Amino acid sequence: MALSGPQKTVMQTVSVVVLMGGMAWASVPLYDWFCRVTGFGGTPGQVSVGSDEVLDQTVKVRFDGSLNDGMPWEFKPVVREMEVRIGETGLAFYEAYNPTDKPVAGQASYNVTPYTAGPFFEKIDCFCFTEQVLAPGERVQMPVSFFVDPEMVDDRDGKFVHTITLSYTFYEIDLPEGYAALDQDSVTATN
């Protein structure tokens, strides 16, 4: 059955709307994947083991922590900076505190600056890989282990990087199912 002019136009319009909706839905995960693979925008890589090569050259790593608007936690690096040899595995800690009377879940977004260091900054393990839930009044120290890839010293732009800043921003997320009952219990206890 052939479509008439107006029917064909409606079908084409609906197809374009569906296609654009699909592209919008897929854009965030595709962009995230692109940034992780290429280091674009200062996004560090994620690896399962440390470097097998450690150089005598060092790089200073600074740590920064902030909170998204409305996030009730306190959040900061335990140490503001450290110097590591390129290729050496570093271990740093961030401290988070929930001063509220209810459990709060959070997820950290992160990047490194300068952006040219992004492809060479590798995280082995990090609290930012999973969501975090803090009970009322809970204070925790969360680790991040990392290294700077020795290939940075041979990179056209990377070889000029002597200081890298690792930044995290925590934002509040919905409580996971198991914790939602705890939140409901704390509301019931206060009534």
Side-chain angles (χ1 to χ4, degrees):
M1 173 174 116
L3 298 175
S4 66
Q7 291 173 328
K8 188 175 181 181
T9 302
V10 167
M11 288 301 291
Q12 289 173 337
T13 303
V14 168
S15 297
V16 167
V17 168
V18 168
L19 177 66
M20 296 301 282
M23 296 285 285
W25 176 80
S27 65
V28 171
L30 286 175
Y31 181 75
D32 183 56
W33 171 81
F34 173 77
C35 291
R36 288 177 195 271
V37 168
T38 64
F40 182 77
T43 302
Q46 181 179 345
V47 295
S48 57
V49 295
S51 173
D52 55 357
E53 179 183 7
V54 178
L55 306 179
D56 287 332
Q57 289 178 259
T58 62
V59 64
K60 187 180 297 183
V61 180
R62 293 185 177 151
F63 304 98
D64 179 50
S66 63
L67 299 168
N68 195 31
D69 289 341
M71 178 56 149
W73 289 359
E74 294 172 13
F75 175 66
K76 65 181 181 183
V78 173
V79 175
R80 292 271 175 207
E81 70 180 39
M82 67 173 55
E83 192 158 331
V84 295
R85 294 186 345 201
I86 294 176
E88 175 184 27
T89 299
L91 179 63
F93 290 88
Y94 280 75
E95 183 177 274
Y97 171 63
N98 177 6
T100 70
D101 60 353
K102 63 180 184 145
V104 177
Q107 180 73 48
S109 60
Y110 53 88
N111 72 340
V112 297
T113 53
Y115 291 156
T116 54
F120 305 105
F121 195 91
E122 302 287 354
K123 291 184 186 180
I124 301 167
D125 193 21
C126 181
F127 60 89
C128 60
F129 296 159
T130 59
E131 59 192 23
Q132 304 295 319
V133 179
L134 296 184
E138 184 177 11
R139 182 180 307 272
V140 296
Q141 287 195 355
M142 302 175 292
V144 55
S145 60
F146 63 90
F147 68 92
V148 177
D149 191 323
E151 289 183 14
M152 184 173 84
V153 299
D154 296 324
D155 182 72
R156 182 183 66 176
D157 298 319
K159 65 184 173 186
F160 298 109
V161 174
H162 302 290
T163 302
I164 299 172
T165 301
L166 174 60
S167 298
Y168 290 97
T169 300
F170 252 107
Y171 56 94
E172 189 171 1
I173 60 173
D174 291 335
L175 281 170
E177 247 179 68
Y179 290 95
L182 286 176
D183 188 35
Q184 192 62 23
D185 290 345
S186 67
V187 170
T188 306
T190 59
N191 290 334

